[in-house]
Amino acid sequence: MDSFGLAGMTVHRVEEFVDPNCDALAFFPELTPELIRKHADWLVPQFYEASNNTIRIVMQTWVIRTRHHTILVDTCNGNHKPRPYFPMADQLNTPYLERLNAAGCAPEDVDFVCCTHMHIDHVGWNTRLENGRWVPTFPKAKYLFAQAEYNQYLPENYVDGKAPIFADVFEDSVLPVIAAGQAQMVEGRYQVNDAVTIEPAPGHTPGHYIVRAGAADEMGLFVGDAIHNPIQIAEPQLSTAYCVDGKLAAQSRQRILEDCAEHGHLLVPTHFDPPHIGHVRREGAGFRFVPGR
Ligand SMILES: [Zn+2]
């Protein structure tokens, strides 16, 4: 699945790479072998490797082409960035921009870049290296960041005088965009155009947001890291070790899943394995994932 239609728009998927070996029990601290067994009939092996308790994390960007605009949702890890503490993203040299081009999208075509949050794998291609400097990859785009996400990186907001995780990412992938005058900070609900809206879904990070695209009768929710793996659809209480507020993340997730189940919205997460997208059905007191378009 590399593209699909949505309410008269086209959505393309551009993959950067796949992390095949994410340790699920470390990633979801409250995940247990019992929960895996409970959902094994649909979870294993498509979305969970039971032999070594790993999940696959796909790094990908969604390109939404509306009648008037080209909008990117999340920009993966980026090339040439020093990430010694995260070897899989360290000094990458992937053909991401070539793949974006193959999807019919040149960097100068991009009107808006939506970063659901400022983690390493969601803002990387915001910038690229040019003559030793980080410059915006998408020269004509407005980059939409949540104000609350930005605020946590201001030194006056450091908790106990300590910078939050990925302060280096903020420096090379967000600050150059601000310096170029291409950043727009958004608060609360924000209407990008007549088909696309940003909505807060905090918890994974303070300013995490989701992107709602489409029309009343056909809507897609681009949920970023509000949901990392289908197991969290069946067990919405499972937050990750990287969530700053796991309880709040679970509340945001529950709200998204209720919305999808009730209205039939398409769920478009950032990291799911093939087919990458799906629908959500109510099952008992919880939910079930129905993969595919
Ligand atoms: Zn992520």
Side-chain angles (χ1 to χ4, degrees):
M1 196 288 306
D2 286 323
S3 70
F4 59 89
L6 182 70
M9 307 179 293
T10 309
V11 180
H12 294 272
R13 190 183 76 84
V14 175
E15 187 170 300
E16 187 186 44
F17 67 91
V18 178
D19 166 18
N21 280 317
C22 175
D23 178 341
L25 298 178
F27 195 69
F28 299 113
E30 289 161 49
L31 182 60
T32 60
E34 290 70 41
L35 283 178
I36 299 301
R37 274 197 292 277
K38 183 175 160 193
H39 299 292
D41 63 321
W42 64 272
L43 194 67
V44 179
Q46 192 175 7
F47 303 113
Y48 198 93
E49 179 49 58
S51 67
N52 57 1
N53 288 309
T54 54
I55 55 173
R56 289 159 43 95
I57 302 270
V58 180
M59 305 289 183
Q60 58 201 351
T61 292
W62 295 107
V63 182
I64 306 173
R65 309 202 82 149
T66 75
R67 256 184 317 154
H68 303 296
H69 296 122
T70 298
I71 302 171
L72 304 187
V73 180
D74 288 335
T75 62
C76 302
N77 295 273
N79 274 2
H80 311 303
K81 299 203 158 163
R83 309 289 190 230
Y85 54 88
F86 195 55
M88 84 180 72
D90 190 31
Q91 299 290 356
L92 287 176
N93 190 11
T94 71
Y96 174 91
L97 288 182
E98 286 82 346
R99 290 175 192 158
L100 196 65
N101 262 301
C105 179
E108 52 273 18
D109 295 339
V110 178
D111 298 294
F112 296 100
V113 176
C114 296
C115 297
T116 58
H117 60 300
M118 292 181 180
H119 276 178
I120 184 168
D121 53 323
H122 295 258
V123 296
W125 272 105
N126 282 3
T127 58
R128 61 187 175 81
L129 201 53
E130 192 182 83
N131 301 320
R133 284 176 57 235
W134 295 109
V135 299
T137 306
F138 310 104
K140 296 180 183 165
K142 264 275 174 259
Y143 290 65
L144 305 175
F145 299 115
Q147 183 74 52
E149 192 74 358
Y150 170 76
N151 288 349
Q152 65 176 321
Y153 289 103
L154 300 177
E156 64 262 36
N157 296 326
Y158 287 4
V159 179
D160 299 328
K162 260 184 61 189
I165 187 170
F166 301 134
D168 60 323
V169 171
F170 178 75
E171 206 162 293
D172 63 32
S173 303
V174 176
L175 286 183
V177 173
I178 296 172
Q182 288 180 245
Q184 182 166 344
M185 300 297 160
V186 304
E187 281 182 278
R189 262 180 73 95
Y190 178 83
Q191 190 97 31
V192 180
N193 65 17
D194 58 348
V196 179
T197 310
I198 283 170
E199 293 174 11
H204 181 59
T205 62
H208 187 286
Y209 67 63
I210 66 169
V211 177
R212 180 182 292 267
D217 59 342
E218 196 181 21
M219 189 74 77
L221 299 194
F222 296 73
V223 301
D225 282 3
I227 307 172
H228 283 82
N229 180 274
I231 184 76
Q232 293 172 289
I233 295 172
E235 303 287 342
Q237 79 281 7
L238 292 177
S239 287
T240 76
Y242 296 93
C243 295
V244 290
D245 186 337
K247 249 197 172 125
L248 185 60
Q251 285 167 14
S252 290
R253 190 158 41 252
Q254 177 77 21
R255 205 171 52 239
I256 290 165
L257 293 171
E258 282 171 6
D259 195 5
C260 284
E262 189 167 327
H263 299 106
H265 299 331
L266 184 67
L267 185 73
V268 190
T270 297
H271 294 308
F272 274 28
D273 251 342
H276 309 290
I277 57 175
H279 286 88
V280 177
R281 225 175 39 211
R282 279 211 180 268
E283 191 167 82
F287 304 96
R288 183 176 185 119
F289 183 46
V290 184
R293 181 74 182 87

